[in-house]
Amino acid sequence: MKKRNFLKGIGLASVALISTRLFGNQRMETNDNYDFIGEVPYAGDPILPINGKFSLPELGFSYQALEPNIDARTMEIHYTKHHQGYVNNLNKAIEGKPAASYSLEKICSLANNTDMAIRNNAGGHFNHTFFWEILKPGGANKPTGSLATAIDNNFGSFDKFKEKFEQAAAKRFGSGWAWLVKGANGKLYVYSTPNQDNPLMTKLGYKGVPIIGIDVWEHAYYLHYTNKRGEYVKNFWNIVNWDVAEKNYSKK
Ligand code: MN
C-alpha cells in the first residue's frame, strides 16, 4: 500500500506522530498541516552533468533586468560568485563518486546528513537554477489558469497566500528558502527550508513539487535592502514569472 493511502486510512493523531517524525528537528518551519502532502518525485527537466561536471546555466536575462526589485550588482555577484561557487564545490564533492553520473534532481533526492558537501552544493545549484527561472522577466505578473484557481482554493485568495509565503520567508531564522509546493494530492503548501535544503530532498523529510521559491540568504538582498528582508520579500512579487510557476504546477 502506498504511504499516502496508508496515511489516509489511519487516525489523525497517528498521522501527526508520523509527521513529527518525518519533519523532525524543526527542519521545516511551517504553520501548515502536512498530513497528506505525500511524496512526489520532481518531474522537471533533469539537470545533467557532462563528463561528471555540472555547469552554470545561462541566466537568460541581464543583471539589470530585475531592477529596482533586485539590483544589478547583487544579481551579478549572486550569479557569478555564489551560484558559480555552488557549481564548483558540487563538482569537487561528486568527483569519483556515483553521483557524478546522476541528475541534479536525483542527487538532491538522495541528500542526507552525512555528505554535507553534496547536500549543500547540490541544493545550492538546484535552488539558484530554479530561482533564475521563476524570476525570468516577461511572463504573467500574477498567477493565471489552473494555478490561480488552486491558490484561491487552497489559501482563500492570492493575498492570503502571499501573506503566508511572506511569513515563511520572514520566519526562516538565518539563511534559507521559502517555497510554494504541490503535494501528491494536488494540494498546495508553503514552508521554508534552512541553508540550501529544498523540497526535492525527500530523505530529509521535505516533500512536494516546487512551484516558486525565494532565496532569503542575506547575499540575495543585503546590498540593496540591508537588514530589511521583509521589503525584499514584498518586492519579490513584482518579479515572479507566473507563467513559469504555472508550468511548475502542471508537472505531474
Ligand atoms: Mn543565493
Side-chain angles (χ1 to χ4, degrees), residues 78 128 177 196 215 219:
H78 203 170
H128 289 85
W177 293 73
Q196 296 295 353
D215 186 344
H219 69 226

Side-chain angles (χ1 to χ4, degrees), residues 16 27 32 45 47 63 100 110 126 137-138 161 164 182 194 249-250:
R27 288 195 198 100
D32 211 329
D45 297 333
I47 300 167
Y63 300 139
L110 297 171
F126 179 87
F161 153 68
K164 195 162 209 174
K182 180 176 73 169
Y249 173 69
S250 305

Side-chain angles (χ1 to χ4, degrees), residues 11-242:
L12 278 176
S14 316
V15 171
L17 281 175
I18 290 170
S19 299
T20 306
R21 186 168 56 78
L22 289 174
F23 301 127
N25 304 330
Q26 299 275 317
R27 288 195 198 100
M28 219 150 109
E29 285 177 8
T30 173
N31 50 7
D32 211 329
N33 180 337
Y34 286 84
D35 291 349
F36 301 119
I37 192 168
E39 287 183 23
V40 235
Y42 182 71
D45 297 333
I47 300 167
L48 296 163
I50 296 173
N51 298 326
K53 304 263 184 217
F54 288 97
S55 55
L56 200 60
E58 259 183 57
L59 191 53
F61 53 89
S62 74
Y63 300 139
Q64 291 81 17
L66 305 174
E67 286 196 337
N69 305 289
I70 296 179
D71 63 287
R73 184 82 178 123
T74 296
M75 269 308 304
E76 183 176 0
I77 297 170
H78 203 170
Y79 175 69
T80 65
K81 306 294 182 198
H82 294 279
H83 191 173
Q84 182 73 65
Y86 295 119
V87 171
N88 295 347
N89 289 329
L90 175 61
N91 288 337
K92 275 182 221 152
I94 60 176
E95 200 175 349
K97 295 182 182 165
S101 65
Y102 296 166
S103 72
L104 184 56
E105 293 76 6
K106 182 171 176 180
I107 296 174
C108 286
S109 76
L110 297 171
N112 57 47
N113 286 312
T114 52
D115 199 332
M116 293 306 287
I118 288 189
R119 173 175 167 181
N120 289 334
N121 293 296
H125 184 25
F126 179 87
N127 295 350
H128 289 85
T129 303
F130 182 86
F131 193 47
W132 311 140
E133 281 296 315
I134 61 123
L135 295 180
K136 196 175 273 178
N141 59 9
K142 60 176 201 284
T144 56
S146 56
L147 178 56
T149 309
I151 285 175
D152 286 346
N153 289 344
N154 280 270
F155 301 104
S157 69
F158 182 48
D159 282 344
K160 282 189 185 146
F161 153 68
K162 286 201 291 188
E163 203 177 301
K164 195 162 209 174
F165 187 89
E166 285 171 22
Q167 274 172 11
K171 282 166 61 185
R172 167 48 56 195
F173 182 75
S175 300
W177 293 73
W179 305 94
L180 169 67
V181 307
K182 180 176 73 169
N185 50 7
K187 225 185 138 199
L188 302 181
Y189 301 85
V190 166
Y191 63 81
S192 76
T193 55
N195 305 314
Q196 296 295 353
D197 285 358
N198 67 41
L200 280 62
M201 297 181 174
T202 49
K203 276 203 184 334
L204 300 171
Y206 309 117
K207 291 170 183 172
V209 175
I211 298 169
I212 63 168
I214 184 171
D215 186 344
V216 295
W217 283 59
E218 284 186 344
H219 69 226
Y221 62 88
Y222 208 86
L223 282 182
H224 182 65
Y225 292 96
T226 64
N227 61 323
K228 299 184 194 79
R229 184 193 284 186
E231 214 175 287
Y232 156 70
V233 175
K234 280 224 180 298
N235 288 341
F236 167 75
W237 301 121
N238 299 329
I239 48 175
V240 175
N241 184 324
W242 287 100

